[in-house]
Amino acid sequence: MGPLRDSPDFRRLWFGNAVSYIGQQMTAMAVALQVYAITGSSFYVGLVGLCSLGPLIVFGLYGGAVADAVDRRRLGLVTASGSTLLSVALAATAIAHLRVVGLLYAIVALQAVCFAMNSPARSSMIPRLLTPEQLPAANALASLSGGVGQMAGPMLGGVFVGLWGYQAAYLIDAAAFTASLYAMWRLPAMLPGEGAPGEAAERRRPSVVEGLRYLAARPNLRTTFVTDLAAMVLAQPRVLFPAIAGLWYGGDTRTVGLLAAAPAVGALLGSVFSGWLGRVRRQGFAVLLAVASWGAAVAVFGLTRNLLLGLLFLALAGCADTVSMVFRNTMLQSAAPDDMRGRLQGVFLVVVVGGPRLGDFLAGSAADLFTPTAAIVGGGLACIAAITCVGLFQRGFLSYDAGRPTA
């Protein structure tokens, strides 16, 4: 809780982001319900995610470059304002009873653009507001607010839609954005480059390619992304939850919901009891251990046929993922120069968005070719093997010291 006590700017920003993220998750649920009510097709509901995936990947990279060239506070204000107006536009479509799915897809895509432009700017502000020692706690708090948003947002979205219609969820989301807008409005100017004048940043014209070249030449930072991809691509079981709920546990859609919620509960608990993370200096070793623990928990989950045990191991996997995320993000924020943080956060967003979707494809394909058990257990073991290779070949990452951060 130290960052919340010590920095009023961070406290306002964290609270504003937490409230607005709950609103965003409410909107995501409401859009899915509205698309299904119009079409009666799960396929068209699935297209909602596809409409946001492309903008998140493309504009995540581009938004990181923009965040390294302009005042990040102003970029955050503009993009958060855009998200607010788009939530109002969704409410207008619901109030007007417009049953045009294409219009909803277009608004969702624009919302993804605003989020992808906003996220790198917002994340790269944090090291300017706190000391390096407080960054693990700040990232744990970010994980905490994300976990709460993922659990509470969809639930509240469904409740409000049921009580007052789709427009209620959209208008509440628009109101929730005011917390984020107020927090950014109270911040000082956030020009990139640790006090370098804005003109100098503009002359450099930061580019996506420049950021990728920087990342390619920095083994420790590059390895943070490799480890996350190992976990999310090789050992991602969520796409198989509908199948195994019935095959393994004899359950129904409620069982699927429990399986989906278990990692989020573990992540939430990992965030709540994360105070000890700030005392860990060998953060690279901690990342490897956490990702290997994720793989092990997923592999053991694949062998269980008892629902309570299965939920326990999924929760342990979610907790391990939180520990990995905290240290990976801390390394990005502390080892990278300020004028590169936006682009690296953009790459971070792309990996977080794209990795699990690749993992869904791989797990689904493996389950069809073999069995769900082979897909899940094999994926967990493959993750452990990949992380072991990373530890053997990236000794610098293994010995990374938070007291002397090196990219």
Side-chain angles (χ1 to χ4, degrees), residues 213-233:
R213 285 175 180 166
Y214 174 85
L215 181 61
R218 302 303 188 278
N220 286 334
L221 297 183
R222 186 177 65 245
T223 305
T224 63
F225 295 108
V226 172
T227 56
D228 189 42
L229 288 173
M232 295 298 103
V233 175

Side-chain angles (χ1 to χ4, degrees), residues 214-231 283-285 287-288 291 324 327-329 331-332 344 347-348 351 386-400 406-407:
Y214 174 85
L215 181 61
R218 302 303 188 278
N220 286 334
L221 297 183
R222 186 177 65 245
T223 305
T224 63
F225 295 108
V226 172
T227 56
D228 189 42
L229 288 173
Q283 294 178 347
F285 178 74
V287 169
L288 297 179
V291 176
S324 167
F327 287 127
R328 286 184 291 106
N329 216 353
M331 293 170 72
L332 283 178
L344 293 180
V347 176
F348 183 86
V351 170
I387 289 303
T388 301
C389 290
V390 170
L392 291 174
F393 292 103
Q394 296 291 340
R395 296 301 181 90
F397 187 80
L398 193 64
S399 59
Y400 179 93
T406 305

Side-chain angles (χ1 to χ4, degrees), residues 2-84:
L4 297 178
R5 289 194 306 266
D6 299 341
S7 173
D9 284 333
F10 176 80
R11 182 167 61 244
R12 285 189 292 267
L13 191 63
W14 179 82
F15 178 77
N17 291 339
V19 172
S20 63
Y21 187 66
I22 292 174
Q24 289 172 324
Q25 294 300 306
M26 287 171 48
T27 287
M29 173 59 71
V31 168
L33 293 171
Q34 189 174 5
V35 169
Y36 188 79
I38 293 172
T39 65
S41 168
S42 296
F43 172 77
Y44 286 103
V45 176
L47 287 180
V48 175
L50 190 62
C51 288
S52 63
L53 178 59
L56 282 172
I57 291 176
V58 174
F59 285 92
L61 293 173
Y62 177 70
V66 173
D68 285 338
V70 302
D71 181 355
R72 291 163 179 163
R73 169 184 174 272
R74 182 176 298 176
L75 178 60
L77 283 170
V78 170
T79 51
S81 299
S83 295
T84 304

Side-chain angles (χ1 to χ4, degrees), residues 58-123:
V58 174
F59 285 92
L61 293 173
Y62 177 70
V66 173
D68 285 338
V70 302
D71 181 355
R72 291 163 179 163
R73 169 184 174 272
R74 182 176 298 176
L75 178 60
L77 283 170
V78 170
T79 51
S81 299
S83 295
T84 304
L85 293 175
L86 289 167
S87 293
V88 173
L90 284 172
T93 65
I95 293 170
H97 301 289
L98 296 178
R99 298 175 62 84
V100 182
V101 174
L103 180 59
L104 295 177
Y105 288 161
I107 295 175
V108 166
L110 291 174
Q111 283 183 321
V113 171
C114 289
F115 178 81
M117 297 288 288
N118 181 279
S119 183
R122 188 178 65 242
S123 298

Side-chain angles (χ1 to χ4, degrees), residues 153-237:
M155 178 186 67
L156 292 174
V159 169
F160 291 140
V161 168
L163 291 175
W164 301 302
Y166 306 109
Q167 63 271 19
Y170 299 143
L171 289 173
I172 292 172
D173 182 21
F177 270 113
T178 60
S180 182
L181 287 169
Y182 174 74
M184 290 190 188
W185 179 70
R186 290 289 304 272
L187 290 173
M190 288 280 176
L191 295 168
E194 293 187 336
E199 294 79 12
E202 289 178 6
R203 281 199 301 271
R204 286 195 298 271
R205 293 192 178 206
S207 68
V208 173
V209 173
E210 182 186 4
L212 294 175
R213 285 175 180 166
Y214 174 85
L215 181 61
R218 302 303 188 278
N220 286 334
L221 297 183
R222 186 177 65 245
T223 305
T224 63
F225 295 108
V226 172
T227 56
D228 189 42
L229 288 173
M232 295 298 103
V233 175
L234 298 176
Q236 179 56 263

